[in-house]
Amino acid sequence: MATTLRIVEVDKLKTACSTCSLQELCLPAGLSAVELQSVDELIERRRPVKRGDYLFRSGAALHSLYAIRSGFIKSCVLHEDGREQVAGFHMMGDLMGLDAIGTNQHLCDAVALEDSEVCEIPLKDLEGLSRNIPSLQQHFHRIMSREIARDYGVMLLLGSMRAEERLAAFLLNLSQRFSARGYSATEFHLRMTREEIGSYLGLKLETVSRTLSHFQAQGLIAVQNKHLRILSLDNLRELVSQHSCRS
Amino acid sequence: MATTLRIVEVDKLKTACSTCSLQELCLPAGLSAVELQSVDELIERRRPVKRGDYLFRSGAALHSLYAIRSGFIKSCVLHEDGREQVAGFHMMGDLMGLDAIGTNQHLCDAVALEDSEVCEIPLKDLEGLSRNIPSLQQHFHRIMSREIARDYGVMLLLGSMRAEERLAAFLLNLSQRFSARGYSATEFHLRMTREEIGSYLGLKLETVSRTLSHFQAQGLIAVQNKHLRILSLDNLRELVSQHSCRS
DNA sequence: TTTAGAGTTTGACGCAGATCAAAACGGGGG
DNA sequence: CCCCCGTTTTGATCTGCGTCAAACTCTAAA
């Protein structure tokens, strides 16, 4: 009994935003110590999600938003006819479930690409607390807005870029996000399959594979399986901004 | 002098959400009469935007969100290299500027496709008021979330649909939105050019034109210039959900 | 009313990327 | 340790849509 209690306490400690290294990236960015404490109490529980498991499914009722504490999770939009497309790859510090607020129903599946851990944040509580903490409210709005901005970027990518540009943009985006989280900007593990990359970028897996090979041949990157090293960030950037065709 | 005052008053009256027919579609949906009155005071001013004029430009500082009272406005994301893509077509009741909250800078251009009128809503005031009116706060969140959901739909469209499916989905979307605003679901004016449709759908204007002609030949629609009549909503719907290829 | 220019339609042709196919690889479970 | 199956790579071929071009049609200004 005492042991159980202790475990729970350790869990709570681990969950606390106040001691979380992702503070500055995550929901409570920019809050005071006192405010942070209130946010701590928001977090209902920490929840592990095993590789391949669903964090939530399309159609399920919205209970909570989820802040990713560790791991890697993809979200997939589903077309009524069974077609499915990866809508995003999410990593630690990202907030998931924002698309569900409008209808109170999740519109996409969230699947862990590696063993992950998320903090569960009941939406009602978050809304309540943000009424009392203006900077929390503002930051929440900023997070939603940034998701919209991200989507606009993806729309631009899908609507007007050629395969090489899409892939280069994708790699640069991953690089930038890993870097923002304190990891290498030039060397990382791709947690998703070529097919998932393709789905996200509106390409077939063969095209993704071919284009990666092509990049490698040009000396832009070194890929081996899921391990990726960017050899020239600059050249990749050049690739993205040169619009060769599809004006 | 007296005349000027009177005009101002008439303007204010016309701007009031409490007497606006878009109440149920727009920001104040679901508020009580008293709460509505507070929202009325939010609206800084009503602003006319002439056809071809910019409501805001990419890069400009965010001051206000804009609720469209009448007219038709497109938003365009800009790629650094000058490439540009239509990110959305917005009509009365829609709220614009949501993408700018994250950075306090507009990320897209907003251009009126016909003479329009918008209500200017200072973001700070909206945030302040929504702290006191939970249902306003909730509805604002719902609106942002719905924008995210819409974007997911566009991503699905751009990433996995063929030209015919994209255009059919586009027409059905317009139909549904006109219908929700009390207009005909089957007969309306396209306020945008073929090129703008193409930009939104990730297609070239020639493809848009050809596909429309094709639809007409099949008896699905009747187009003449910008006037469009949908002859079979059902057949269009069928077209969207049958995934012929690009799995 | 005429005219200039923007927008639209239609045809011919080419190419980026999809599709089909098959071989090679790799990692997790027995 | 090996086997098996999912993943990846690479090649050959096909095709939907982009590109180029030219004619036609609105609209708005003169």
Side-chain angles (χ1 to χ4, degrees):
Chain A
M1 195 61 175
T3 321
T4 313
L5 264 174
R6 221 180 128 234
I7 288 169
V8 169
E9 276 163 8
V10 168
D11 277 7
K12 278 216 164 164
L13 184 68
K14 273 168 135 186
T15 297
C17 295
S18 16
T19 61
C20 179
S21 62
L22 297 171
Q23 238 180 72
E24 288 309 315
L25 273 171
C26 192
L27 189 62
L31 298 193
S32 73
V34 189
E35 292 165 345
L36 247 180
Q37 202 122 22
S38 320
V39 177
D40 275 352
E41 286 158 27
L42 264 187
I43 312 296
E44 199 161 67
R45 59 190 176 115
R46 204 182 28 152
R47 177 171 150 192
V49 190
K50 283 231 171 310
R51 179 171 193 278
D53 280 0
Y54 284 76
L55 173 57
F56 51 75
R57 282 172 189 272
S58 175
L62 167 70
H63 296 116
S64 300
L65 301 179
Y66 300 92
I68 304 180
R69 163 169 283 251
S70 68
F72 213 81
I73 299 178
K74 71 169 176 180
S75 52
C76 299
V77 224
L78 305 170
H79 196 272
E80 50 232 31
D81 60 12
R83 232 178 311 196
E84 114 171 24
Q85 179 170 352
V86 174
F89 296 108
H90 310 272
M91 53 178 85
M92 45 191 229
D94 289 347
L95 200 59
M96 299 190 68
L98 298 175
D99 57 287
I101 299 174
T103 56
N104 275 312
Q105 262 193 307
H106 287 286
L107 299 178
C108 57
D109 286 344
V111 184
L113 296 181
E114 65 181 20
D115 291 357
S116 306
E117 207 166 71
V118 299
C119 301
E120 198 171 330
I121 307 165
L123 178 63
K124 287 291 159 257
D125 298 350
L126 174 58
E127 289 184 334
L129 192 59
S130 73
R131 260 178 259 135
N132 298 320
I133 308 181
S135 54
L136 177 64
Q137 180 199 34
Q138 269 182 41
H139 193 63
F140 180 51
H141 292 168
R142 263 198 290 272
I143 288 175
M144 294 204 89
S145 173
R146 270 198 255 125
E147 170 67 16
I148 294 173
R150 183 188 76 84
D151 296 344
Y152 279 12
V154 176
M155 285 165 55
L156 194 56
L157 182 146
L158 291 173
S160 64
M161 288 188 185
R162 18 182 44 275
E164 288 198 352
E165 298 173 301
R166 293 185 199 193
L167 203 54
F170 172 70
L171 295 179
L172 287 171
N173 176 265
L174 277 186
S175 160
Q176 181 263 310
R177 288 161 73 201
F178 279 122
S179 161
R181 282 158 183 78
Y183 297 104
S184 168
T186 55
E187 195 161 3
F188 45 85
H189 222 73
L190 300 169
R191 334 268 154 144
M192 67 297 282
T193 66
R194 303 287 189 262
E195 185 166 23
E196 285 161 337
I197 298 175
S199 172
Y200 180 61
L201 298 178
L203 301 171
K204 296 277 107 179
L205 68 100
E206 293 96 330
T207 306
V208 172
S209 176
R210 264 187 257 273
T211 308
L212 283 176
S213 302
H214 188 217
F215 283 174
Q216 184 153 38
Q218 289 179 294
L220 297 176
I221 61 172
V223 245
Q224 185 173 336
N225 238 334
K226 311 221 154 179
H227 184 81
L228 188 127
R229 204 149 59 83
I230 299 180
L231 301 176
S232 169
L233 280 171
D234 286 342
N235 288 336
L236 274 183
R237 286 201 197 95
E238 233 170 76
L239 239 174
V240 177
S241 35
Q242 96 198 354
H243 55 134
S244 0
C245 92
R246 300 191 67 165
S247 80
Chain B
M1 198 59 176
T3 321
T4 313
L5 264 174
R6 221 179 129 234
I7 287 168
V8 170
E9 278 163 5
V10 169
D11 275 7
K12 280 218 164 164
L13 184 68
K14 272 169 139 187
T15 297
C17 296
S18 14
T19 60
C20 179
S21 61
L22 296 172
Q23 238 180 72
E24 287 310 314
L25 273 172
C26 194
L27 189 62
L31 299 192
S32 73
V34 189
E35 292 166 344
L36 247 180
Q37 202 121 23
S38 319
V39 177
D40 276 353
E41 284 158 27
L42 264 187
I43 312 296
E44 199 161 66
R45 59 192 175 112
R46 202 184 28 156
R47 177 170 148 192
V49 190
K50 282 230 172 310
R51 181 172 193 279
D53 281 359
Y54 284 75
L55 173 57
F56 51 75
R57 281 171 190 274
S58 176
L62 166 69
H63 296 116
S64 300
L65 302 179
Y66 300 93
I68 303 181
R69 162 168 285 249
S70 67
F72 213 81
I73 299 179
K74 70 169 175 180
S75 53
C76 299
V77 224
L78 305 170
H79 196 272
E80 49 231 33
D81 60 11
R83 234 179 309 196
E84 111 169 27
Q85 180 171 351
V86 174
F89 296 109
H90 310 272
M91 54 177 83
M92 45 192 228
D94 288 347
L95 201 57
M96 299 190 70
L98 299 174
D99 57 288
I101 298 173
T103 57
N104 275 312
Q105 261 194 308
H106 288 287
L107 298 178
C108 58
D109 287 344
V111 184
L113 296 180
E114 64 180 21
D115 291 356
S116 304
E117 208 165 71
V118 299
C119 300
E120 200 171 329
I121 306 165
L123 178 63
K124 286 293 157 253
D125 298 351
L126 174 58
E127 289 184 333
L129 192 58
S130 74
R131 260 178 259 134
N132 299 319
I133 307 181
S135 54
L136 177 64
Q137 181 200 32
Q138 270 183 39
H139 193 63
F140 180 52
H141 292 169
R142 263 197 289 271
I143 288 174
M144 293 203 90
S145 173
R146 271 197 254 127
E147 171 67 17
I148 295 173
R150 183 188 77 83
D151 296 343
Y152 280 12
V154 176
M155 285 164 57
L156 194 57
L157 180 146
L158 291 173
S160 64
M161 289 189 185
R162 14 182 49 270
E164 287 198 353
E165 297 173 303
R166 293 185 198 192
L167 204 54
F170 172 70
L171 296 179
L172 287 172
N173 175 265
L174 278 185
S175 160
Q176 181 262 310
R177 289 161 74 201
F178 278 123
S179 161
R181 282 157 182 79
Y183 298 103
S184 168
T186 54
E187 194 160 5
F188 45 84
H189 221 72
L190 300 169
R191 333 266 154 144
M192 67 297 281
T193 67
R194 303 288 189 264
E195 184 166 24
E196 285 162 337
I197 296 174
S199 172
Y200 180 62
L201 298 178
L203 301 171
K204 296 276 106 179
L205 67 100
E206 294 95 329
T207 306
V208 173
S209 177
R210 264 187 258 273
T211 308
L212 283 175
S213 301
H214 188 216
F215 282 174
Q216 184 154 38
Q218 289 179 293
L220 297 177
I221 62 171
V223 244
Q224 184 173 338
N225 237 336
K226 310 222 150 178
H227 185 82
L228 188 128
R229 205 148 58 85
I230 298 180
L231 301 176
S232 169
L233 280 171
D234 285 342
N235 287 337
L236 275 183
R237 284 200 199 96
E238 234 171 75
L239 239 172
V240 177
S241 36
Q242 97 199 356
H243 56 136
S244 0
C245 91
R246 301 191 65 165
S247 80

